[in-house]
Amino acid sequence: MGFMVDTQKEGDGGHSWSCLRTLVRRKQVESSNGKAETPHHHQLAKALTFPHLIAVGVGSTIGAGVYILVGTVAREHSGPALAFSFLIAGISAALSAFCYAELSSRFPSAGSAYHYSYICIGEGVAWLIGWALILEYTIGGSTVARGISPNLALIFGGEDCLPTILARHQIPGLDIVVDPCAAVLVFIVTGLLCIGVKESTFAQGIITTVNVFVMLFVVVAGSYLCLKTGWAGYELPTGYFPFGVDGMLAGSATVFFAYIGFDSVASMAEEVKNPQRDLPLGIGLSLLLCCSLYMMVSIVIVGLVPYYAMDPDTPISSAFASHGIQRAAYLIALGAVMALCSTLMGSILPQPRILMAMARDGLLPSFFSDVNQRTQVPVKGTITTGFCAAILAFFMDVSQLAGMVSVGTLVAFTMVAVSVLILRYVPPDEVPLPASLRERVCSVSFIPGEENSSSHVGTSTSSKQPLLCTTDASIVEKQEAQGGWVLNNENRRKFAGWSIMITCIGNFLLSYAASSLRFPGLLRYSLCGFGGLLLLVGLTVLSCLDQDDARHSFGHSGGFICPLVPLLPIVCILINMYLLVNLGAATWARVSVWLVIGVLVYLFYGQRHSSLVDAVYVPTAHAHGIHRTSGHSLA
């Protein structure tokens, strides 16, 4: 006999338990074996190749921050060890990049972290991530656009040299400075993105190439000057670590945000011709290229000028000016403008795809899921995104809200690492089917030989969810020998699930206690010890457990495999949680308001219109048989 799980059946828990269960319902993975159907008018163009992804990754990551960040971090934190700060931050970002590389090649669809969380964790977490990413890209794009006009003015000769129609103006009687140049640039980028993804990424590639050449000029010309002066910036009595190793690590935490942007590559997964090969390469090489450029620029600039003499606002141009090369300031200003324009494109590009993915799942109105038949891009979502970003950039100085951008990114990084752990140890063993197939589920016979060959028979849900049909207990209680003792598949999944949860709790306690300097010493060290203990217990249990064999057939086969699981994702979670805790109370207060609005939108719209409202869940092993039976009957 077959069996299925009805997500609408309330059971004895009542309506509140039914509402809670909607938060953990997970959607079906679009795999090569059983691909979820997407209407033709909702499909994106398969137009991107490996060079396009490099352009998107590097262009979205290298912003004008590197032209400013090196001075501030060197003066306040790292000193001559600035390159080590960039290296450590790059290694930390690479941990998240490894996780993204596996999930993007296994689930190559629009939505990035939102999509992975919906498949591996559940609808509630996926909604919050998608909602946070909307905030990240909108504010990020507005902040970048607002920073272009001052740098553009430097190319024309000064702050007051822009045409009047583009220059900033203060509204009389109000403390509001409008920026027409920022709004115009957002509209130009939006129009370019609507033309087509191949054309827009080609333009981004040109802009990124100019920026890279400017940075290479800084490296080559700066190295020549350093050789003439004997690298004077490193000849200091305090050595390479004037602020100690702690200062270098604090600097790496600051420059970590200079690597944010490579996740834009994952958001383009559905438009890549060969995602299993190109997505991991695009993510990895773009991050490697950015890290190399950051380190070379930092080595040269610290060698030109002692760290304590750096200009915190214009460190690179002032370093060249101190050696008599005044004209370099114009070239560096051009590089900053190109970097900002490329980052602006990288900020607006992913958001329509996030909106489209959420609309496909019914969590947002279908308006956002429409794809233009001629250009094969989500034009409506792109125009909406551009309009909102342009309004913000025109009226508001959103620099004080920039910390909110980091929340969305770090939460997404954390959930991607958690998704890798779930995929390896407790991959979903059920798939949702339309309610129209409800009567066919019980008609599909179980074939014992096929059941025994599958490692994910739905055993974990059979003990937790109400069953409409019965199953053979001998199949559910299949035993597997592990290390000389017997642990059935259901108990192994329970151990793994609880270990992942304990590990996340331990990471949070350790990060929070380590950052809370206001706590008394005894309380702080006790929390650190308890959190570290939970972390070690969870890591030890996961290391001893075998990974689930179902992971091999979950999603697309091939592509990149994240190494050192479970250690690498757990370290990634720890780093991201530490950075999240240190963002500050004011940032979290602002983000909380946005998240509360998101919860209300989900409760009153998303939860009721979700595509999984009427879905029934069946074991993965029987989904193909049900589809096959349905296909025969329709024929």
Side-chain angles (χ1 to χ4, degrees):
M1 292 287 291
F3 68 90
M4 69 177 177
V5 178
D6 185 358
T7 61
Q8 300 305 300
K9 188 176 178 67
E10 295 181 8
D12 298 330
H15 180 69
S16 59
W17 172 239
S18 177
C19 291
L20 183 61
R21 284 173 55 187
T22 62
L23 299 177
V24 295
R25 57 190 178 192
R26 298 183 283 197
K27 70 176 181 179
Q28 181 178 2
V29 58
E30 298 178 1
S31 66
S32 54
N33 299 323
K35 191 170 183 177
E37 304 233 349
T38 302
H40 180 69
H41 64 281
H42 288 170
Q43 293 178 354
L44 300 175
K46 291 278 187 181
L48 300 183
T49 57
F50 172 66
H52 295 104
L53 297 181
I54 293 293
V56 172
V58 176
S60 301
T61 303
I62 296 182
V66 67
Y67 295 95
I68 303 172
L69 205 59
V70 291
T72 303
V73 175
R75 284 174 59 96
E76 299 178 1
H77 300 293
S78 301
L82 178 62
F84 289 106
S85 293
F86 274 106
L87 176 62
I88 293 172
I91 293 173
S92 302
L95 301 181
S96 295
F98 280 130
C99 299
Y100 266 98
E102 172 166 348
L103 295 180
S104 62
S105 60
R106 194 179 285 268
F107 313 132
S109 184
S112 186
Y114 159 79
H115 178 64
Y116 313 146
S117 301
Y118 207 162
I119 291 172
C120 297
I121 302 176
E123 186 174 282
V125 171
W127 166 265
L128 288 179
I129 289 178
W131 192 251
L133 289 177
I134 291 173
L135 178 71
E136 172 198 340
Y137 292 129
T138 303
I139 293 183
S142 304
T143 305
V144 169
R146 194 86 179 189
I148 293 179
S149 53
N151 288 278
L152 191 61
L154 292 177
I155 297 178
F156 287 95
E159 295 182 4
D160 301 326
C161 294
L162 278 179
T164 305
I165 194 174
L166 295 178
R168 291 182 175 179
H169 302 281
Q170 183 169 358
I171 298 178
L174 297 174
D175 189 19
I176 297 177
V177 178
V178 296
D179 192 339
C181 181
V184 169
L185 287 170
V186 171
F187 282 129
I188 292 174
V189 169
T190 301
L192 183 60
L193 294 176
C194 290
I195 294 175
V197 67
K198 193 171 185 179
E199 292 77 7
S200 61
T201 51
F202 178 75
Q204 189 174 20
I206 295 175
I207 297 173
T208 302
T209 302
V210 174
N211 180 30
V212 170
F213 274 112
V214 171
M215 296 186 72
L216 290 177
F217 165 79
V218 171
V219 172
V220 174
S223 298
Y224 173 74
L225 292 175
C226 285
L227 289 173
K228 288 179 62 177
T229 59
W231 301 85
Y234 290 101
E235 296 178 356
L236 301 173
T238 54
Y240 290 150
F241 299 89
F243 300 97
V245 176
D246 291 340
M248 183 197 66
L249 294 177
S252 66
T254 303
V255 301
F256 175 86
F257 299 103
Y259 290 96
I260 290 176
F262 66 84
D263 54 320
S264 297
V265 177
S267 68
M268 311 297 295
E270 194 170 322
E271 295 154 282
V272 180
K273 292 181 179 179
N274 189 350
Q276 276 70 43
R277 181 196 67 186
D278 291 346
L279 281 171
L281 285 175
I283 293 173
L285 290 184
S286 60
L287 187 62
L288 178 62
L289 180 58
C290 293
C291 184
S292 302
L293 289 172
Y294 287 157
M295 290 182 65
M296 288 190 293
V297 169
S298 61
I299 288 172
V300 168
I301 296 305
V302 173
L304 281 175
V305 181
Y307 72 92
Y308 52 81
M310 282 188 180
D311 188 331
D313 297 322
T314 57
I316 298 180
S317 57
S318 62
F320 278 91
S322 66
H323 287 76
I325 306 180
Q326 300 286 349
R327 293 185 178 180
Y330 293 99
L331 188 60
I332 293 166
L334 175 64
V337 170
M338 292 296 102
L340 282 167
C341 289
S342 182
T343 306
L344 177 61
M345 294 184 67
S347 297
I348 298 179
L349 181 66
Q351 181 165 329
R353 283 139 183 93
I354 300 290
L355 294 173
M356 183 190 66
M358 298 176 75
R360 280 178 177 176
D361 298 326
L363 302 183
L364 288 177
S366 59
F367 170 86
F368 295 108
S369 65
D370 289 340
V371 175
N372 186 277
Q373 294 185 2
R374 186 177 63 84
T375 62
Q376 290 187 279
V377 295
V379 172
K380 294 180 180 178
T382 302
I383 292 175
T384 304
T385 298
F387 180 78
C388 294
I391 293 298
L392 279 176
F394 182 76
F395 285 107
M396 292 180 60
D397 182 7
V398 291
S399 59
Q400 67 270 22
L401 306 180
M404 300 172 70
V405 175
S406 303
V407 173
T409 301
L410 292 174
V411 169
F413 284 5
T414 304
M415 290 302 108
V416 166
V418 173
S419 296
V420 169
L421 292 175
I422 292 174
L423 172 65
R424 294 296 190 90
Y425 289 96
V426 280
D429 53 2
E430 304 167 333
V431 295
L433 295 179
S436 58
L437 298 179
R438 181 188 300 265
E439 296 182 358
R440 299 189 180 277
V441 175
C442 290
S443 65
V444 178
S445 300
F446 278 51
I447 302 176
E450 292 182 357
E451 277 308 299
N452 291 331
S453 65
S454 173
S455 63
H456 52 302
V457 192
T459 57
S460 63
T461 54
S462 62
S463 63
K464 295 186 287 185
Q465 310 281 6
L467 301 182
L468 301 186
C469 309
T470 59
T471 186
D472 187 356
S474 63
I475 297 174
V476 176
E477 296 174 358
K478 175 185 174 184
Q479 304 290 317
E480 297 179 359
Q482 298 185 356
W485 58 289
V486 176
L487 180 69
N488 64 29
N489 189 52
E490 179 180 355
N491 288 333
R492 186 199 59 77
R493 289 173 63 90
K494 287 182 178 179
F495 273 117
W498 279 106
S499 298
I500 293 172
M501 181 181 296
I502 288 173
T503 301
C504 292
I505 295 173
N507 275 325
F508 173 75
L509 290 177
L510 184 59
S511 302
Y512 185 73
S515 305
S516 300
L517 301 178
R518 303 183 309 273
F519 284 179
L522 180 60
L523 177 60
R524 186 184 175 202
Y525 293 136
S526 299
L527 282 176
C528 281
F530 184 62
L533 179 63
L534 292 180
L535 174 60
L536 288 176
V537 168
L539 176 60
T540 303
V541 173
L542 289 175
S543 300
C544 294
L545 290 175
D546 288 338
Q547 296 182 21
D548 199 312
D549 290 336
R551 71 187 189 279
H552 297 301
S553 57
F554 193 70
H556 286 253
S557 58
F560 181 81
I561 302 298
C562 182
L564 301 177
V565 176
L567 178 62
L568 189 148
I570 290 176
V571 174
C572 177
I573 295 169
L574 179 62
I575 293 173
N576 293 325
M577 282 190 173
Y578 177 80
L579 294 173
L580 277 170
V581 169
N582 282 278
L583 285 178
T587 297
W588 276 108
R590 298 188 188 105
V591 172
S592 298
V593 174
W594 176 253
L595 293 180
V596 168
I597 295 173
V599 170
L600 295 176
V601 173
Y602 174 73
L603 291 177
F604 290 102
Y605 183 89
Q607 187 181 44
R608 301 179 182 182
H609 293 83
S610 172
S611 58
L612 300 181
V613 165
D614 296 321
V616 292
Y617 284 78
V618 299
T620 307
H622 308 301
H624 304 310
I626 294 167
H627 281 297
R628 185 169 58 249
T629 303
S630 176
H632 291 333
S633 64
L634 292 175

